[in-house]
Amino acid sequence: MDNTVKEPLIHLSKREDMPSGKRWLVRIAAIFLSLVVCAGFIFMIIKMNPVEVYEGIVEGAVGTSRRFWVTARDALTLLCVAVAVTPAFKMKFWNIGAEGQILMGCVASAAMMIYAGNALPTGVLLVLMFLCSFAAGAIWGVIPAFFKAKWNTNETLFTLMLNYVAMQVVTFCIVYWENPVGSNSVGIINAPTKAGWLPPLFGLDYGWNLVIVLLLTVFMFIYMKRTKHGYEISVVGESENTARYAGINVGKVIIRTVGISGGIAGLAGFILVSGSSHTISTSTAGGRGFTAIIVAWLAKFNVWAMAVISFLLVFMQQGAIQIATQYNLNENASDVITGIILFFVIGCEFFINYKLEFRGKHSA
């Protein structure tokens, strides 16, 4: 009688732990492989020298001082949003509404610039814009958090739908603030006076962007790692029942945490309007609310790793724009290159967390 037991050829099992150095080695290998695959795509599809295309990416992202600072500016904004979604996601509150929270922060900043730009000193105006943007984003976060805490509603759908509501609010404001009339846009706000614009700092146009985002990053690191609130977020994220057993007010933690998350996303809106575009539109957030989720997950909620990943993503995006122009490629070709790299970077996390075991027959 045959007592052999047939098992699946490939068995998937979760890794107990992988050393930090080895994890980063896997990620670097994934980036290298993605560049090899991209090189094959470039050569076979568009018949170009991959090395020249990669040089174009570097040139487009950091080739000049202006390009470097544009890349740094966009990376800082993305990092700010990634920092914003971190506490909510750490608590397993799936905040897909950062896009709307950013837009509400943009609306608050733009409103202050339009209505109070000529009535208040610059310093006072900027402080009020900062606070109002935080409050607007926080309110947009507290709304779904309250319903989640009170009636256990689905926060994913709720926050996602609020994105569309925020877009309609922006659309209404654009019609109301239209300048010039008939342009269907707000135009550059306070262009003659620059009231409400973040001024240069240390001779850098985006110096204040750097300072604000750095302070927010340090704050989030300390908040999550060194405070009672951060501990409560971790416990609620692990198990709400355990948190209740430990005497933690889960509803209060949810509302407070998502309020902070939305508030920081609102500050990203302040940075965009006051420190970058100086106008507002439905595309001002630019999809950063969704890209930031990728950044936060890839970094495992480590704010310093988020800084690196944010810069790399924006580096590729800016470089893709350059090669699309330089080599007369359509936008889709450059997006494919970025997509291939993201596929490998995200996919490598599977091999960091799981392993494949090949098995054959053995006796029972």
Side-chain angles (χ1 to χ4, degrees):
M1 182 176 178
D2 187 3
N3 292 324
T4 59
V5 176
K6 293 182 179 180
E7 294 186 355
L9 178 62
I10 301 176
H11 177 72
L12 178 67
S13 61
K14 188 172 179 63
R15 294 184 188 274
E16 293 183 2
D17 191 25
M18 180 183 285
S20 178
K22 193 173 181 180
R23 287 200 300 268
W24 282 104
L25 188 62
V26 171
R27 293 180 180 121
I28 292 171
I31 293 173
F32 176 78
L33 287 174
S34 71
L35 294 176
V36 172
V37 173
C38 286
F41 167 80
I42 293 167
F43 182 76
M44 290 188 297
I45 305 300
I46 57 182
K47 309 299 182 184
M48 292 182 179
N49 185 340
V51 175
E52 291 181 359
V53 175
Y54 289 147
E55 288 176 352
I57 291 175
V58 175
E59 177 70 20
V62 295
T64 65
S65 176
R66 181 181 180 281
R67 288 174 181 173
F68 171 81
W69 279 107
V70 168
T71 299
R73 177 199 69 190
D74 291 348
L76 287 168
T77 307
L78 180 58
L79 173 60
C80 183
V81 186
V83 167
V85 301
T86 293
F89 273 77
K90 183 73 173 177
M91 190 178 60
K92 292 186 172 58
F93 182 100
W94 312 119
N95 179 18
I96 314 298
E99 194 85 354
Q101 292 150 17
I102 295 168
L103 288 175
M104 295 309 294
C106 290
V107 168
S109 287
M112 290 297 300
M113 290 172 71
I114 292 169
Y115 294 116
N118 297 321
L120 296 173
T122 299
V124 175
L125 177 62
L126 287 171
V127 170
L128 288 176
M129 288 170 61
F130 184 93
L131 295 176
C132 289
S133 295
F134 182 89
I139 291 170
W140 221 243
V142 165
I143 293 171
F146 175 80
F147 280 83
K148 173 70 174 180
K150 194 75 173 176
W151 295 289
N152 196 32
T153 55
N154 187 309
E155 71 275 15
T156 304
L157 291 176
F158 206 135
T159 54
L160 185 62
M161 291 302 102
L162 281 178
N163 289 337
Y164 297 101
V165 177
M167 289 181 67
Q168 295 308 310
V169 171
V170 173
T171 301
F172 170 82
C173 291
I174 289 172
V175 174
Y176 197 71
W177 296 333
E178 192 177 44
N179 184 31
V181 176
S183 65
N184 197 32
S185 68
V186 177
I188 301 300
I189 304 172
N190 297 339
T193 63
K194 295 187 177 181
W197 293 26
L198 282 173
L201 182 67
F202 308 129
L204 303 174
D205 287 340
Y206 306 116
W208 277 109
N209 299 35
L210 176 62
V211 169
I212 292 170
V213 176
L214 179 60
L215 290 175
L216 288 173
T217 304
V218 173
F219 162 78
M220 187 55 66
F221 175 79
I222 296 172
Y223 184 78
M224 295 298 295
K225 298 290 186 181
R226 298 288 186 267
T227 68
K228 178 185 175 183
H229 288 181
Y231 169 76
E232 290 176 342
I233 289 171
S234 297
V235 175
V236 172
E238 289 296 326
S239 170
E240 289 188 10
N241 290 331
T242 301
R244 291 189 181 95
Y245 183 79
I248 296 173
N249 187 330
V250 173
K252 180 180 177 181
V253 172
I254 290 174
I255 294 172
R256 180 184 65 213
T257 302
V258 184
I260 292 173
S261 180
I264 296 177
L267 291 180
F270 164 75
I271 291 170
L272 284 167
V273 172
S274 181
S276 179
S277 66
H278 312 302
T279 187
I280 184 173
S281 71
T282 54
S283 61
T284 299
R288 293 178 179 87
F290 301 109
T291 307
I293 296 172
I294 298 175
V295 173
W297 276 102
L298 285 178
K300 302 296 184 185
F301 307 118
N302 182 317
V303 293
W304 308 117
M306 288 179 203
V308 176
I309 295 170
S310 296
F311 183 82
L312 289 176
L313 286 181
V314 174
F315 180 95
M316 288 305 305
Q317 290 169 357
Q318 295 296 330
I321 293 170
Q322 170 66 18
I323 62 173
T325 304
Q326 183 175 337
Y327 296 102
N328 197 28
L329 302 176
N330 62 44
E331 187 176 329
N332 295 329
S334 58
D335 286 345
V336 168
I337 294 172
T338 304
I340 290 172
I341 294 172
L342 279 177
F343 175 81
F344 275 83
V345 170
I346 295 172
C348 77
E349 296 299 316
F350 172 84
F351 295 99
I352 290 174
N353 294 310
Y354 298 92
K355 58 183 177 180
L356 299 177
E357 296 176 342
F358 295 87
R359 295 180 178 178
K361 298 179 180 180
H362 65 84
S363 300

